[in-house]
Amino acid sequence: MSDLEERTFIAIKPDGVQRGLIGEVIKRFEQKGFKLVGMKMLQVRICNQLSPASQELLHNHYADLSTKGFFPSLIAYMSSGPVVAMVWEGKGVVKTGRVMLGATNPADSAPGTIRGDYCIHVGKNVIHGSDSVESAEQEISLWFQPSELVSYKSCAFNWLYE
Ligand code: DAT
Ligand code: MG
């Protein structure tokens, strides 16, 4: 796979959706030049067999944090409303995406980053982004079926890359 086809998993968390930040987040990634290749809105409902996603999804997604004291509240927060799950593609999108998000704790996030500009508390930090190419691949396969992702050449490609 070409390095221009690197992909990351970005999710607007329930607070980001409720606070009307979906468009702002998409705008920032679009205007940077990254390409949207998958997107869906879903609510992870705990203890609801009929839901499109289950508690298991969040437990897998945050498996590395399962021993942390804040884990139960993190799962409750992430399932408290709809999230917008997206896959963005482009050269260096994983690392650059993390820079665009800002530090995990908004108190430490630089102004100009999404968390730096739009939130205050670590428990309501608006957005998720994969922290490595490997975790991006794992998270994308957790949240999306291969058939839900698209491949296409952006008409802006030649104006973004050389
Ligand atoms: P990030 O989301 O920047 O990758 P992470 O993977 O370490 O950060 O943690 C995942 C989420 O868990 C984070 O976005 C918010 C929550 N979280 C992390 N540390 C926390 C803490 N000390 N208290 C409360 N929530 C925390
Ligand atoms: Mg993380």
Side-chain angles (χ1 to χ4, degrees), residues 52-126:
S54 69
Q55 189 175 11
E56 198 184 344
L57 172 64
L58 288 177
H59 279 254
N60 286 332
H61 177 77
Y62 282 128
D64 58 327
L65 300 174
S66 61
T67 59
K68 302 280 186 189
F70 60 80
F71 185 72
S73 63
L74 176 62
I75 299 300
Y77 159 52
M78 289 295 291
S79 56
S80 65
V83 300
V84 174
M86 297 177 283
V87 179
W88 287 88
E89 184 181 288
K91 185 173 167 54
V93 69
V94 172
K95 188 169 174 224
T96 302
R98 290 286 295 190
V99 175
M100 291 166 66
L101 262 58
T104 302
N105 189 336
D108 302 324
S109 312
T113 66
I114 294 167
R115 287 167 172 166
D117 287 350
Y118 296 115
C119 52
I120 295 169
H121 195 277
V122 68
K124 297 280 185 294
N125 66 355
V126 166

